[in-house]
Amino acid sequence: MHLLPEEEQVLAGEYGETRQKMMEILVALGKVFGAARLVPVRSAQVSGASYKTIGDAGIEWLSGLEARVSVPTVLNPVGMDRISWREMGIPPDFARKQEEVIAAYSRLGVRLECTCTPYYIYQTRFGEHLAWSESSAVSFANSVIGARTNREGGPGALAAAIIGKTPEYGLHLVEERRPQVHIRVEGDGPHDDIAFYGALGFLAGKLAGNRIPFFSGIRPRRDQLKALGAAMAASGAVALYHVEGITPEARIFSYDVADLEYLPVTAGEVAALWSGIPVDAVALGCPHCSPEELSVIAGLLAGKRVKIPVYVFSARKVIEASRDAVAVIEQSGARVYADTCMVVSPAMERFGTIMVNSGKAFSYVPDMCRAAVRIGTTAECIAVATGTPGA
Ligand code: F3S
């Protein structure tokens, strides 16, 4: 891999031991994946932020680093709402350790936005190179925005944040962004809810594996694209997809589609994921809710009381900008939490069955929360939570 003179100096340790270590990580990644050079990144998003996933070894590693990030960098959700952790039932020992993790990142200059939807907070543009970690954020950035990022591991994203560059391979290169499989949705179905797209993504991710799908036969809106991509990244390893007539790069590659392997998914297969099993709690906001999703949930809960715990997750800045909707949601007895999510927080582990409107949560909850899971539309989730007849 070709390095510029100042990059060689960093690698030689002339800018301190931490920057040297970080450059070693980037160079090692670049060599493994055959990168020709490093490219500057516009922002970074670092996973490995929940104490539940990084543990004491992670705190020790982070505490030994002596450098500051050189591009805007945010964290993935952590294991608790930093303000309302007691109300979430988080044990004080866990909270103390979680704050140690956060303090270690803060010392490096990482912004303490803990979210998988950094694109709601910082403007991210078509064609920008990024070093993001969380799989749904990576999928959204690549597919919906047309920015370019591989799915970075925590250390790779932090190294890119500190150096301000990442090796140019994989999805940073246009030729690596071509669709590899054509998925068409056949038959009529309830195509107008994020849960439909989450469930479709759950099935499509299993079919696509780590290949880049090109979808036809659907017209998802922005939040529905978010749900589709998040689920495919969870049930498969899809970091980029295209939707005919919708996503920004679909037109560039549409001439390739006739030659691709064709994988049909029927609306009936999507509908078969629905069940009527009784649930103990409802969790919404995987990925973190947009302002529009908070408004929809508020509209469904207005004037009602929930009969089982309902948790809604979003980025703190989005919650602060959606005060009216959040007030309506909380008047029902549901709770809106920032900084964390249903999967990385230990708070959800006390329930036997959780209902979600997310294909990603549908994929992760059984293992990560050790709970059974039911998927439904947002309206169905609220109907179940409020005991509305017919739920
Ligand atoms: Fe985000 Fe947590 Fe879901 S990180 S995508 S809310 S599992």
Side-chain angles (χ1 to χ4, degrees):
M1 185 165 73
H2 174 72
L3 295 182
L4 299 172
E6 64 266 28
E7 294 166 349
E8 292 283 9
Q9 288 168 347
V10 174
L11 190 60
E14 292 179 29
Y15 290 85
E17 198 183 325
T18 295
R19 292 178 75 81
Q20 180 182 29
K21 266 194 228 164
M22 297 296 123
M23 185 60 95
E24 283 169 359
I25 291 173
L26 298 181
V27 169
L29 278 172
K31 282 187 178 159
V32 167
F33 292 104
R37 57 177 185 155
L38 298 175
V39 284
V41 293
R42 177 74 187 79
S43 64
Q45 188 242 10
V46 180
S47 62
S50 170
Y51 179 67
K52 179 174 164 179
T53 49
I54 108 169
D56 289 325
I59 296 177
E60 198 181 322
W61 183 72
L62 288 169
S63 303
L65 302 178
E66 292 297 339
R68 303 275 297 174
V69 297
S70 56
V71 295
T73 303
V74 298
L75 281 183
N76 211 30
V78 296
M80 62 188 198
D81 184 300
R82 296 191 59 209
I83 294 171
S84 306
W85 58 270
R86 283 185 191 81
E87 183 192 303
M88 289 185 83
I90 300 291
D93 278 356
F94 182 94
R96 189 173 43 79
K97 289 288 191 181
Q98 182 61 75
E99 281 300 333
E100 278 183 44
V101 177
I102 290 168
Y105 278 115
S106 175
R107 207 173 50 84
L108 302 175
V110 175
R111 299 178 188 183
L112 302 183
E113 310 288 349
C114 307
T115 182
C116 51
T117 55
Y119 40 83
Y120 293 148
I121 298 173
Y122 301 110
Q123 203 172 38
T124 306
R125 295 192 182 85
F126 183 89
E128 287 179 346
H129 294 279
L130 316 171
W132 288 11
S133 289
E134 197 282 318
S135 64
S136 79
V138 166
S139 173
F140 193 92
N142 279 320
S143 314
V144 183
I145 299 173
R148 298 182 190 181
T149 177
N150 291 313
R151 184 182 175 188
E152 299 291 348
L158 187 58
I162 288 173
I163 300 297
K165 295 179 180 179
T166 195
E168 189 183 41
Y169 70 91
L171 296 178
H172 291 283
L173 301 167
V174 176
E175 59 271 25
E176 300 286 334
R177 298 172 67 88
R178 291 185 184 286
Q180 295 164 315
V181 56
H182 178 195
I183 299 181
R184 185 167 176 83
V185 181
E186 297 180 343
D188 292 333
H191 285 213
D192 201 32
D193 188 272
I194 55 173
F196 171 83
Y197 286 98
L200 170 61
F202 175 80
L203 296 172
K206 287 177 187 255
L207 292 173
N210 62 0
R211 294 175 292 177
I212 299 172
F214 183 99
F215 282 89
S216 59
I218 52 173
R219 296 202 60 79
R221 295 192 300 273
R222 214 165 164 85
D223 283 331
Q224 297 166 343
L225 289 163
K226 178 177 77 168
L228 176 68
M232 283 193 289
S235 66
V238 175
L240 165 65
Y241 64 94
H242 306 287
V243 180
E244 185 177 35
I246 302 281
T247 57
E249 291 173 301
R251 194 187 321 197
I252 306 171
F253 297 121
S254 56
Y255 59 87
D256 286 340
V257 173
D259 300 329
L260 299 178
E261 182 186 352
Y262 175 60
L263 302 170
V265 177
T266 66
E269 288 173 285
V270 176
L273 297 179
W274 263 244
S275 78
I277 54 171
V279 302
D280 307 317
V282 168
L284 306 172
C286 172
H288 278 172
C289 285
S290 65
E292 295 74 26
E293 288 173 284
L294 289 176
S295 296
V296 168
I297 296 166
L300 291 165
L301 280 172
K304 296 182 185 146
R305 290 292 299 172
V306 297
K307 296 192 163 62
I308 55 174
V310 175
Y311 300 106
V312 180
F313 299 95
S314 186
R316 188 168 293 284
K317 282 215 161 70
V318 172
I319 291 172
E320 286 167 0
S322 308
R323 285 214 179 90
D324 292 349
V326 169
V328 171
I329 293 170
E330 298 214 314
Q331 275 157 18
S332 75
R335 286 288 160 259
V336 180
Y337 289 126
D339 312 320
T340 188
C341 82
M342 64 188 84
V343 167
V344 296
S345 165
M348 302 303 293
E349 289 172 2
R350 60 180 180 269
F351 300 112
T353 306
I354 300 170
M355 188 166 183
V356 299
N357 64 349
S358 154
K360 174 165 180 176
F362 187 69
S363 185
Y364 275 15
V365 160
D367 282 344
M368 296 289 286
C369 304
R370 294 190 282 279
V373 65
R374 171 177 166 185
I375 192 166
T377 64
T378 311
E380 287 165 346
C381 288
I382 300 302
V384 166
T386 53
T388 306

